[in-house]
Amino acid sequence: MALYLGIDASTQGIKSELIDTELGTTSGGAVNFGRDLPQYGSPDGFLPNPDPLVRESDPAMWLDALDLLFTRLKESGAPLSKVAGISGSGQQHGTVYLNAGFSEVLRSLDPGRSLADQLTPCFSRKRSPIWMDRSTRAECDELDARFGERIRAVTGSPAIERFSGPQIRKFAKEQPEAYAETAGIHLVSSFFASVLCGKSAAIDHGDGAGMNLLNLNTLQWDRELVEFTAPGLAAKLPPCVPSATKAGALSPYFAKYGFVPGIPVAVWSGDNPNSLIGLGVSGPGCAGLSLGTSDTFFGAMRTFHTDPDGFGHVFGNPAGGFMSLICFTNGSLAREKVRTELGLSYEEFDATGEVSDTEFLMLPYFGAESTPAVLTPVVVYGFDPETASKTERVRSLLESQILSMRLHSGWLGEEFTRIRVTGGASKSAALRRIIADVFQAPVETISVGNSAGLGAALRAANLFGGEPFDSLHAKFCAATSVSEPDPAKKARYDRMLAAYEELERASC
Ligand code: XUL
């Protein structure tokens, strides 16, 4: 038996994927923040805030969720004593601020008390900004004014509101005393890795690239960017290392769940880099599409280059080299909004996506949007929604979302030979067909839904079990369904793409 554990710390909960590389089997576990930890008042994983641009979470909730996940795995009889290595995945960009006491508390964690109880006094900022936060436009403008095009050329992304650098700068400006008390700043990923190892863990190149601080040419923190972002920041950042790096050995604290202390823990990465691995698309020519709260479109990059429009990002590929990532914030958010507005069940919504030949387009920015950058929510219809049928409205939303992905992935210069989908909305056959037709590429699903958790487990198996990704992908990521493109639809979507581009240009 060769067991590896991948933990996925996402916006709405924590899940795990336990894989057996000899048998090729997986089993999952899950904690939902809203349902299982209602005391944190975060039904969707973040705290309510009167400012819609501010999105923060209580990091103590994340710790309680980890303890609860392991309690559940133990109670369900999961063979945790046989686990040979662990890695994980974090929602990207979120930051955790820790005072000088963190290292000592981590070193001597008491199994008789919870993680949250022991580590809460170590937070120099009680609330962690997460990737949904859009409150740092002023800081992004300051970075732009100082560095201009250099930020994109060096970090792979322009200054972006949700990225960690602008978030850290805002905190240092607004709460200078709390910032001065901060001895270390972690990403969600490296924070969890630190807790598991009982010592501060490194950040990997996959997640580190989402900070506007990492120089992708040198793969080191960029001295000038770090110095400008906040005073003394260099001393507060952990080192940044390749994803295939051991972070440390499992802390004795976790023996209470049945783990053998001292088993190796790999550095964690972000959810998108992990999904690239978990979907089996870490080689060029294939794309991954995660249809979740936000939709993300990603793929391995043949050469390092950046999006001239400034919406796409470049991150480290955990399998080596680089990956692209384009985030569409109004993914399931918009689909849910339209579904409920029209009073449709999920089944009806899916069935409606199948029909209608009208070429109706819309811009569904029910909340702030990343691609294209829209801070003030706005919904634009290229048709009259009052007279359009429900069928036409649903189809218009789904086609517009996928056309936006085709438009904004053009900078990659790739003809995709296949697209692998994951996330809740990937269950929709109608949506999969639209993706296949818009991109004129086969769209595949795999059996494991939690591609980020699976990717983390595969990274641990690759690093500690020595098994190549190709062999792991053959075992765990075989296609379970394929939607073939209809060549007869090519002309329709080429035409609609031009019309969509025009609508977006005229409105944003
Ligand atoms: C990527 C991004 C989101 C989060 C969601 O840039 O902001 O995909 O990683 O977890």
Side-chain angles (χ1 to χ4, degrees):
M1 203 190 272
L3 296 186
Y4 297 92
L5 182 66
I7 302 166
D8 169 30
S10 75
T11 316
Q12 305 196 3
I14 298 199
K15 294 191 197 135
S16 61
E17 219 52 64
L18 184 59
I19 64 168
D20 184 325
T21 53
E22 272 163 26
L23 301 178
T25 53
T26 61
S27 63
V31 169
N32 178 279
F33 300 137
R35 269 196 308 277
D36 297 321
L37 299 168
Q39 65 273 30
Y40 285 100
S42 304
D44 297 310
F46 51 84
L47 292 152
N49 198 296
D51 182 345
L53 296 180
V54 173
R55 285 280 183 273
E56 295 169 322
S57 298
D58 186 340
M61 173 179 78
W62 297 336
L63 293 172
D64 267 339
L66 187 67
D67 269 328
L68 182 57
L69 175 76
F70 287 159
T71 303
R72 286 184 173 170
L73 289 177
K74 183 183 175 191
E75 284 171 3
S76 71
L80 300 183
S81 64
K82 303 279 189 326
V83 171
I86 304 181
S87 190
S89 163
Q91 52 170 314
Q92 293 201 253
H93 318 300
T95 35
V96 185
Y97 299 76
L98 299 143
N99 62 26
F102 183 53
S103 302
E104 186 44 42
V105 174
L106 271 188
R107 221 185 342 262
S108 50
L109 283 173
D110 172 0
R113 294 168 61 201
S114 74
L115 291 171
D117 190 26
Q118 296 177 78
L119 288 167
T120 296
C122 304
F123 296 128
S124 54
R125 177 178 179 175
K126 300 294 171 212
R127 295 173 162 209
S128 285
I130 64 163
W131 65 277
M132 297 169 97
D133 193 287
R134 295 284 180 282
S135 65
T136 62
R137 190 59 252 163
E139 288 71 26
C140 290
D141 288 345
E142 290 159 4
L143 281 156
D144 281 341
R146 168 69 179 80
F147 295 102
E149 275 300 296
R150 182 172 178 270
I151 302 190
R152 178 161 61 92
V154 159
T155 70
S157 306
I160 298 282
E161 288 90 343
R162 68 185 189 285
F163 276 36
S164 322
Q167 293 287 343
I168 294 168
R169 183 168 172 82
K170 179 180 167 220
F171 177 57
K173 276 165 56 185
E174 291 183 352
Q175 299 182 57
E177 281 165 21
Y179 177 76
E181 266 177 39
T182 302
I185 300 176
H186 275 287
L187 290 179
V188 175
S189 57
S190 60
F191 172 65
F192 274 106
S194 305
V195 172
L196 289 183
C197 298
K199 69 174 179 93
S200 181
I203 289 176
D204 89 308
H205 293 155
D207 216 11
M211 300 178 79
N212 280 145
L213 294 172
L214 182 66
N215 185 321
L216 290 176
N217 300 305
T218 62
L219 295 175
Q220 305 288 326
W221 299 126
D222 187 85
R223 198 174 50 79
E224 284 180 53
L225 276 167
V226 169
E227 271 173 16
F228 180 81
T229 294
L233 178 56
K236 301 180 201 284
L237 290 175
C240 198
V241 299
S243 311
T245 303
K246 182 177 166 182
L250 188 69
S251 155
Y253 173 87
F254 297 96
K256 66 181 182 181
Y257 298 115
F259 290 105
V260 176
I263 56 166
V265 178
V267 288
W268 285 36
S269 189
D271 51 359
N272 294 295
N274 275 297
S275 283
L276 187 83
I277 302 292
L279 279 174
V281 293
S282 54
C286 317
L289 175 51
S290 169
L291 298 158
T293 313
S294 66
D295 292 340
T296 54
F297 189 94
F298 47 84
M301 293 186 98
R302 287 173 212 268
T303 54
F304 173 72
H305 65 287
T306 59
D307 177 3
D309 291 334
F311 302 132
H313 312 297
V314 183
F315 296 154
N317 175 344
F322 298 100
M323 66 176 282
S324 58
L325 183 282
I326 312 159
C327 181
F328 302 85
T329 315
N330 285 273
S332 288
L333 182 79
R335 290 185 286 272
E336 266 309 282
K337 200 84 187 165
V338 170
R339 187 185 69 77
T340 44
E341 248 174 43
L342 298 177
L344 297 170
S345 67
Y346 287 105
E347 292 71 27
E348 288 167 333
F349 185 82
D350 276 359
T352 305
E354 297 275 357
V355 280
S356 160
D357 270 338
T358 47
E359 298 183 7
F360 286 169
L361 294 166
M362 69 180 292
L363 304 179
Y365 311 139
F366 291 93
E369 178 54 62
S370 310
T371 311
V374 176
L375 276 184
T376 312
V378 60
V379 178
V380 178
Y381 295 96
F383 59 96
D384 182 359
E386 298 300 321
T387 53
S389 67
K390 290 185 180 186
T391 297
E392 287 169 328
R393 288 188 59 181
V394 171
R395 183 119 189 141
S396 154
L397 169 72
L398 300 181
E399 289 183 323
S400 300
Q401 286 188 317
I402 307 307
L403 285 164
S404 177
M405 287 174 197
R406 186 171 144 193
L407 176 67
H408 293 292
S409 57
W411 64 278
L412 296 170
E414 285 283 353
E415 292 281 325
F416 298 105
T417 50
R418 62 193 168 106
I419 298 175
R420 287 253 166 115
V421 289
T422 182
S426 67
K427 295 194 181 75
S428 161
L431 188 52
R432 293 201 303 270
R433 200 156 307 127
I434 293 172
I435 300 164
D437 290 340
V438 168
F439 280 92
Q440 288 291 299
V443 170
E444 300 176 349
T445 52
I446 63 166
S447 60
V448 175
N450 177 11
S451 56
L454 175 61
L458 297 182
R459 289 198 304 109
N462 170 259
L463 183 60
F464 303 127
E467 189 163 345
F469 281 124
D470 282 352
S471 151
L472 291 165
H473 286 154
K475 282 182 200 166
F476 293 99
C477 310
T480 47
S481 81
V482 184
S483 307
E484 291 292 346
D486 176 358
K489 294 265 172 63
K490 183 175 182 323
R492 167 189 166 88
Y493 285 119
D494 285 350
R495 191 168 57 237
M496 286 180 79
L497 183 69
Y500 176 83
E501 188 170 9
E502 191 45 46
L503 179 68
E504 202 186 276
R505 203 192 345 252
S507 317
C508 299

